[in-house]
Amino acid sequence: MTAHGPNRTLTWMRNAPSGPPVAGSPYHIRIRGRLTDRFADAFLGMEVLPGRQETTLFGVIEDQAHLFGVLDRIRDLGLDLLSVEPDHEPKLAG
């Protein structure tokens, strides 16, 4: 094992945005097929929007770890992931 000096910075760290941490962001996650109640219960805190041939999960994803946790759950349940899209639409007040 070799020691590295304190100035060693990984490429992805140099390119990381600076500034305050971002609060959760809303995401639409599309899955092939319609989820049964049993599968929908695995995504508590997310709105389950069934379609004809796909289901959309909608909810606030707090950070990258949360997103990967949801994606891991989709994989572990053997579901087919179609897309992951952040919702950048401005919300109108009132």
Side-chain angles (χ1 to χ4, degrees):
M1 188 176 233
T2 61
H4 299 286
N7 294 332
R8 183 168 188 250
T9 304
L10 300 175
T11 303
W12 64 268
M13 292 175 76
R14 281 195 303 264
N15 297 331
S18 60
V22 178
S25 299
Y27 273 79
H28 295 273
I29 301 173
R30 292 177 40 237
I31 299 169
R32 184 180 324 279
R34 293 180 62 117
L35 292 185
T36 63
D37 290 339
R38 183 177 139 228
F39 283 120
D41 287 345
F43 301 100
L44 294 177
M46 298 196 79
E47 188 174 356
V48 178
L49 308 168
R52 294 189 81 186
Q53 297 184 9
E54 65 186 43
T55 300
T56 300
L57 302 174
F58 177 77
V60 173
I61 300 294
E62 295 301 324
D63 54 22
Q64 189 175 24
H66 184 194
L67 177 60
F68 283 125
V70 172
L71 296 177
D72 285 346
R73 186 165 295 131
I74 290 168
R75 181 204 60 216
D76 292 346
L77 293 172
L79 302 172
D80 292 330
L81 178 65
L82 298 176
S83 69
V84 178
E85 301 171 13
D87 182 0
H88 296 298
E89 293 293 319
K91 304 295 181 222
L92 300 176

